[in-house]
């Protein structure tokens, strides 16, 4: 046996099966979607670049429409230094004179050829080694000069005027990957050095892309999710955040900021619930809402492990469907990650809290406490000032949330009649007002 080949074990198979089941909904939802992926020149020079291109090839094979935008700042700088040409920046933009433009076009052109050749290489040593991946480039970005800023003429540095979205969509419809360099072209035939981030943002906006993805060096302290409002408060924490905010405001639903140093970061971000980078969205990534009938399956999945341990009373699908209006859920990326039910007894100025459950993957993050607060507000909105709960194994948690020990006789009369003495649940009560 080849020692480099890992033996197949039940544990390995179980892990693979579990991953595939988790990824399957994302594979289905991403098929036919349009992603704009931007990576900087440092990423191209890194050892992580070839594995990244392999992962991009996988996305293409799954039917995802891809526009790739690449940067070239370090390569242009290195060529300028080698040829003793001064490197100048103003307000974060390169000052591109005639000589610098010639150097930039040469460096950018070489990178384009290198990327195209690597994509043509396919996926070596895999069943997709012979897959045909077509990569198309062209004059798809129309630009204009950035002009004079604070008295400094930026020369051949430009900004996006418009995107040839029709031309790009034609190529995407044909199954081709569109590769865009950090260059734009004017209607008078001039060339301009344009930042990759601005091109990616404008392309994602023009195409109404499903995702805009920036890959580079990421700040390890950045949170996993940011709303636009939160991102605006920390714009200086990452160079891609201003572009992410602009894209979200222009209608791009989700912008991802990924660290190239994480092996397989692109696949992890796209095919797992929590991802591996930072997600910027115009709205909250996680919502708490009234449950609907379509949530029954997710609620059953949450409750099953607790039912098996005897923590909650087993409920059938039919019962949950009848009582779904009593449930509140926390939804994350289309999946129910927490739930709880509120059964009001207005004649007793009391409501019962039941079926509080949080997915194993999201415990220890305060979601149970957040959900409890939502249900307390709901009870008070109904004019109810007391909560009660019956529990067999989570007494301490409820004590920490302000509940006090109570007696069966303190329960609403209708609930007393349903009390299961075999379970011998402890009773707790909390005053809300």
């Amino acid at each position: 046996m080849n020692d480099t080949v890992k033996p197949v074990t039940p544990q390995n198979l179980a892990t693979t099966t579990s991953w595939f089941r988790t990824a399957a909904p994302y594979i289905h939802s991403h098929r036919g979607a349009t992603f704009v992926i931007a990576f900087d020149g440092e990423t191209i020079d890194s050892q992580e670049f070839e594995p990244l291109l392999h992962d991009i090839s996988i996305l293409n094979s799954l039917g995802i429409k891809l526009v790739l935008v690449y940067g070239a700042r370090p390569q242009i700088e290195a060529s300028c230094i080698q040829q003793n040409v001064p490197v100048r920046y103003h307000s974060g933009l390169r000052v591109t004179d005639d000589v610098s433009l010639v150097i930039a076009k040469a460096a950018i052109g070489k990178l384009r050829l290198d990327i195209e050749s690597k994509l043509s290489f396919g996926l070596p040593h895999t069943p997709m080694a012979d897959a045909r991946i077509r990569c198309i480039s062209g004059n798809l970005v129309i630009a204009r000069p950035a002009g004079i800023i604070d008295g400094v003429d930026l020369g051949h540095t430009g900004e996006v005027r418009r995107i040839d979205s029709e031309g790009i969509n034609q190529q995407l419809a044909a199954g081709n990957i569109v590769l865009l360099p950090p260059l734009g072209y004017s209607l008078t035939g001039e060339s301009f050095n344009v930042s990759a981030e601005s091109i990616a943002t404008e392309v994602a906006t023009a195409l109404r892309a499903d995702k805009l993805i920036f890959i580079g060096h990421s700040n390890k302290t950045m949170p996993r999710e940011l709303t636009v409002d939160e991102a605006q408060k920390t714009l200086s924490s990452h160079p891609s955040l201003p572009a992410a905010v602009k894209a979200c405001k222009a209608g791009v639903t989700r912008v991802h900021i990924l660290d190239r140093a994480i092996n397989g970061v692109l696949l992890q971000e796209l095919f797992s619930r929590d991802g591996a980078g930072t997600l910027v969205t115009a709205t909250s990534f996680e919502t708490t809402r009234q449950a609907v009938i379509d949530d029954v399956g997710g609620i059953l999945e949450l409750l099953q492990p607790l039912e098996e341990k005897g923590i909650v009373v087993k409920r059938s699908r039919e019962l949950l469907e009848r009582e779904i209006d009593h449930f509140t859920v926390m939804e994350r990326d289309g999946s129910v990650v927490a739930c709880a039910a509120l059964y009001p007894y207005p004649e007793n100025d009391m409501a019962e809290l039941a079926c509080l459950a949080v997915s194993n993957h999201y415990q220890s993050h305060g979601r149970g406490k957040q959900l409890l607060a939502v249900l307390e507000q709901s009870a008070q909105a109904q004019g109810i000032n007391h909560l009660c709960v019956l529990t067999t194994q989570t007494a301490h948690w409820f004590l920490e949330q302000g509940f006090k020990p109570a007696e069966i006789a303190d329960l609403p009369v209708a609930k007393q009649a349903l009390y299961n003495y075999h379970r011998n649940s402890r009773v707790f009560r909390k005053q809300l007002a």
Side-chain angles (χ1 to χ4, degrees):
M1 176 184 287
N2 187 337
D3 292 337
T4 62
V5 178
K6 293 183 179 180
V8 177
T9 66
Q11 183 177 4
N12 291 341
L13 289 174
T15 300
T16 301
T17 301
S18 176
W19 179 89
F20 193 80
R21 285 173 176 166
T22 301
Y26 298 97
I27 295 173
H28 174 73
S29 65
H30 294 337
R31 185 177 294 112
T34 299
F35 295 175
V36 177
I37 303 176
F39 42 85
D40 55 23
E42 289 82 1
T43 296
I44 297 175
D45 281 344
S46 71
Q47 61 183 4
E48 293 87 6
F49 188 54
E50 285 197 14
L52 172 62
L53 288 184
H54 292 166
D55 292 344
I56 287 173
S57 299
I58 291 174
L59 299 186
N60 176 252
S61 73
L62 294 174
I64 298 171
K65 300 173 183 177
L66 298 173
V67 179
L68 309 182
V69 185
Y70 65 93
R73 177 173 288 197
Q75 291 83 2
I76 295 173
E77 287 184 356
S79 294
C80 285
I81 293 171
Q82 186 178 21
Q83 299 179 47
N84 295 318
V85 174
V87 177
R88 295 175 58 206
Y89 290 95
H90 180 73
S91 296
L93 297 173
R94 182 187 302 278
V95 178
T96 310
D97 58 20
D98 292 344
V99 177
S100 297
L101 179 62
V102 173
I103 293 173
K105 290 166 69 173
I108 291 168
K110 180 180 183 304
L111 289 178
R112 193 196 79 182
L113 294 174
D114 289 344
I115 294 169
E116 288 177 350
S117 66
K118 284 182 169 63
L119 284 171
S120 299
F121 192 49
L123 296 175
H125 313 302
T126 76
M128 291 181 61
D130 297 325
R132 184 77 175 104
I133 299 172
R134 294 183 177 87
C135 183
I136 306 298
S137 190
N139 57 340
L140 299 166
V141 177
I142 293 83
R144 59 180 169 229
I148 299 171
I149 298 178
D150 302 326
V152 178
D153 188 347
L154 298 180
H156 299 285
T157 294
E159 57 186 28
V160 177
R161 181 174 181 179
R162 69 178 176 86
I163 301 296
D164 183 0
S165 53
E166 181 181 357
I168 293 174
N169 278 323
Q170 287 176 351
Q171 297 301 325
L172 296 178
N176 300 326
I177 293 177
V178 175
L179 178 65
L180 298 178
L183 288 173
Y185 308 93
S186 73
L187 299 177
T188 56
E190 296 176 275
S191 299
F192 294 98
N193 185 196
V194 184
S195 79
E197 284 186 342
S198 64
I199 290 178
T201 302
E202 295 297 336
V203 169
T205 301
L207 298 183
R208 297 184 178 179
D210 299 276
K211 292 182 183 293
L212 170 59
I213 302 169
F214 293 108
I215 302 176
H217 175 67
S218 184
N219 186 341
K220 302 293 185 181
T221 61
M222 284 183 66
R224 283 296 173 89
E225 298 113 30
L226 286 170
T227 63
V228 169
D229 291 339
E230 292 169 338
Q232 284 182 310
K233 297 175 183 177
T234 58
L235 288 179
S236 61
S237 63
H238 194 281
S240 295
L241 273 181
V245 169
K246 181 179 179 181
C248 284
K249 287 185 174 181
V252 179
T253 307
R254 292 186 172 185
V255 181
H256 304 255
I257 300 174
L258 310 183
D259 188 348
R260 62 173 176 267
I262 300 174
N263 183 33
V265 65
L266 184 59
L267 300 183
Q268 290 183 49
E269 181 70 8
L270 295 176
F271 298 104
S272 65
R273 186 180 297 166
D274 292 322
T278 295
L279 171 66
V280 182
T281 61
T283 57
S284 177
F285 184 59
E286 187 170 288
T287 59
T288 301
R289 57 172 175 78
Q290 172 70 46
V292 296
I293 197 70
D294 290 340
D295 297 318
V296 169
I299 293 172
L300 281 170
E301 188 176 337
L302 283 177
L303 295 180
Q304 183 181 357
L306 302 182
E307 292 172 351
E308 292 172 352
K309 295 177 181 178
I311 297 175
V312 300
V313 177
K314 183 175 179 59
R315 283 171 166 78
S316 67
R317 176 180 287 272
E318 292 75 16
L319 178 60
L320 279 175
E321 289 177 352
R322 290 198 304 269
E323 298 183 347
I324 195 64
D325 290 341
H326 292 290
F327 278 80
T328 297
V329 296
M330 279 186 168
E331 181 187 52
R332 182 182 179 84
D333 202 18
S335 297
V336 175
V337 298
C339 69
L342 190 70
Y343 296 91
Y345 297 90
E347 66 278 6
N348 297 104
D349 190 27
M350 187 176 292
E352 180 193 5
L353 173 68
C355 298
L356 179 58
V358 180
S359 168
N360 289 335
H361 300 292
Y362 298 98
Q363 293 178 2
S364 302
H365 294 285
R367 287 181 175 82
K369 187 175 181 179
Q370 294 171 26
L371 199 51
L372 173 60
V374 170
L375 266 64
E376 288 179 354
Q377 291 176 5
S378 176
Q380 288 180 300
Q382 299 176 54
I384 294 172
N385 297 309
H386 297 86
L387 282 186
C388 67
V389 65
L390 280 71
T391 181
T392 57
Q393 300 178 35
T394 55
H396 279 208
W397 187 86
F398 286 106
L399 287 171
E400 291 169 0
Q401 311 313 315
F403 284 80
K404 304 294 183 183
E407 303 295 333
I408 298 173
D410 295 320
L411 295 171
V413 174
K415 185 63 183 177
Q416 291 180 38
L418 298 174
Y419 183 83
N420 186 337
Y421 285 89
H422 177 72
R423 282 179 57 82
N424 195 29
S425 301
R426 296 181 63 181
V427 179
F428 292 89
R429 180 172 171 164
K430 181 177 183 179
Q431 183 171 336
L432 302 178

